[in-house]
Amino acid sequence: MSYSSRGRKVRRRRKTLNIRNLIILIAGCVVTILLFVLLVHGAVRLISKGIGALSELGGDDSSISSGVSEGTSGESSEVSEPPVSWTTVEMTEADERSGDLILVNAAHEYTSEPEDMTILYGNKPNSYGLKVAEMYLKTPALNALNEMMDAFQASSGISSTLVTSTYRTAEEQQELYEADIAATGGSGSGEVAQAGHSEHHTGYAVDLMYSSPTGYAYLDGTGSYAWFNENCYQYGYIVRYTADKQAITGIVSEPWHLRYVGPVHAEAIQRGDYCLEEYIDMIKLHDSTNPYSFVSGSGETYLIYYVPGEGATTQVPVQVGRSYEVSGTNEGGFIVTIPTSSTGTTDSQPAADGVSGTSEPGVSGVSGVSGVSGAAADGTSDGSGSSGSASN
Ligand SMILES: [Zn+2]
């Protein structure tokens, strides 16, 4: 018994020794860490003071001092928004007649041929039907149509809507025009444009019919199909010919004829109650120094402005470091659209779509990192590369 009690005492003493050692060790560690933190803090302050002094001495590398202040103080409010700087992208005369804002009417002939079109057959959902197998639309217009028709089916349960006309050649339009003249005894119905003056040449227009008890009929904008009047803008389409704008468009009301102009402009046109002619006239009042500022329903602010064409080539101003879309108007100029929250992308992302004037989605802008000249060079080279292949 006594032996074992002695052993316990010894163990107890060892235990207290161990605890004392542990306390000393922890205290040592804390002191070491404190010393280290103080040392690092002092070093950083010294370095930032040194760089600050350097930049005060006339060093033009402001990015270093702003970088350091951001890193040490963590006060992001000190780093103000960089001022907007501008560069240009070169557009050709052919680009004036290309893009989703081109105006085609009795006064403005479409003399190009659209490219980058996709056949609807095999590239559409089951939410609508096709009148014939050979139908084509500009690819962004088709993608938007597919989304819109899916949404209409989800909302109404109707999947029998029929796409009856999309892209038409000038020859097809001429036949339609002559048939219309013959059928109306020479006066014309006011619904069929002459060859070269129909939006169907552009690949941006689509006609819709609905299934009725007596067969198919053109959309009349009533009943379930009023959905299109109210919602097509969300997919980048506008009802192009309405009764109240007939005096301007020269075309009678056609609730079945939808025209793709892209979601931003479709929303601006819808909200402002413009027809395309009026909308372009309104944008023409705004140049790059005084852009039209449009806030979309999603909260994004877009700067939209007009640049008159200058002949063979036009230097179109765009903002460095922001993405942009440039569309021709087919009436002598360009419309530029800049989402203000955009920050552009890296140099490796081509700006081809924006520069070529097709104004398709996914356009990337010039990079602000490489500076104005670098960005301009990128834009120009991409433009010339793509405009060789795009002629619409
Ligand atoms: Zn039509």
Side-chain angles (χ1 to χ4, degrees), residues 263-282:
V264 176
H265 300 287
E267 188 180 349
I269 286 169
Q270 174 95 356
R271 292 233 306 259
D273 192 28
Y274 300 108
C275 62
L276 187 56
E277 284 85 353
E278 291 174 310
Y279 183 66
I280 291 174
D281 279 347
M282 185 276 286

Side-chain angles (χ1 to χ4, degrees), residues 5 13 27 60 62 65 112 127 151 156 163 167 170 181 206 211 224 243 255 262 279 294 305 310 320 331 357 367 392:
S5 75
R13 268 185 75 188
D60 58 356
S62 57
S65 62
S112 307
S127 50
S156 66
V163 169
Y167 163 72
I181 293 293
V206 57
S211 180
S224 300
Y279 183 66
F294 174 67
Y305 53 89
E310 293 166 355
V320 171
E331 53 77 71
S367 164
N392 71 316

Side-chain angles (χ1 to χ4, degrees), residues 168 200 207 254 257:
R168 279 180 213 146
H200 285 284
D207 290 346
E254 289 191 3
H257 177 108

Side-chain angles (χ1 to χ4, degrees), residues 93-254:
E93 206 163 9
D95 293 331
E96 285 180 29
R97 300 184 291 274
S98 156
D100 48 22
L101 286 172
I102 49 174
L103 182 66
V104 176
N105 58 21
H108 297 98
E109 186 175 5
Y110 182 69
T111 55
S112 307
E113 264 301 311
E115 289 197 350
D116 305 322
M117 292 203 295
T118 302
I119 189 164
L120 276 67
Y121 185 82
N123 291 300
K124 68 166 205 64
N126 295 323
S127 50
Y128 66 98
L130 302 177
K131 188 184 178 191
V132 293
E134 283 256 325
M135 305 183 100
Y136 297 85
L137 279 176
K138 291 282 288 183
T139 306
L142 173 56
N143 293 338
L145 176 72
N146 288 344
E147 272 185 50
M148 178 171 67
M149 300 311 287
D150 277 352
F152 175 63
Q153 187 198 17
S155 150
S156 66
I158 299 169
S159 61
S160 57
T161 317
L162 199 66
V163 169
T164 60
S165 186
T166 49
Y167 163 72
R168 279 180 213 146
T169 65
E171 293 74 40
E172 287 168 335
Q173 189 67 30
Q174 188 60 31
E175 285 171 21
L176 284 176
Y177 180 73
E178 285 167 8
D180 184 59
I181 293 293
T184 54
S187 59
S189 66
E191 292 175 4
V192 183
Q194 272 188 278
H197 298 274
S198 167
E199 286 196 326
H200 285 284
H201 297 323
T202 68
Y204 286 119
V206 57
D207 290 346
L208 298 177
M209 285 183 131
Y210 69 98
S211 180
S212 80
T214 54
Y216 277 98
Y218 278 112
L219 253 61
D220 55 10
T222 63
S224 300
Y225 299 92
W227 184 94
F228 287 98
N229 307 36
E230 289 151 19
N231 296 288
C232 68
Y233 79 89
Q234 295 182 47
Y235 305 90
Y237 280 93
I238 56 170
V239 178
R240 177 70 173 88
Y241 307 115
T242 57
D244 59 328
K245 304 293 182 185
Q246 185 180 337
I248 302 162
T249 64
I251 304 283
V252 296
S253 173
E254 289 191 3

Side-chain angles (χ1 to χ4, degrees), residues 9 15 22-23 29 33 37 43 57 65 71 85 102 129 149 237 244 259 263 267-268 270 290 308 311 315 366 380:
K9 256 185 195 167
K15 230 181 201 174
L22 200 68
I23 289 168
C29 282
I33 289 168
V37 167
L57 281 170
S65 62
S85 56
I102 49 174
M149 300 311 287
Y237 280 93
D244 59 328
R259 160 69 194 271
E267 188 180 349
Q270 174 95 356
N290 172 37
Q315 300 300 323
V366 293
T380 307

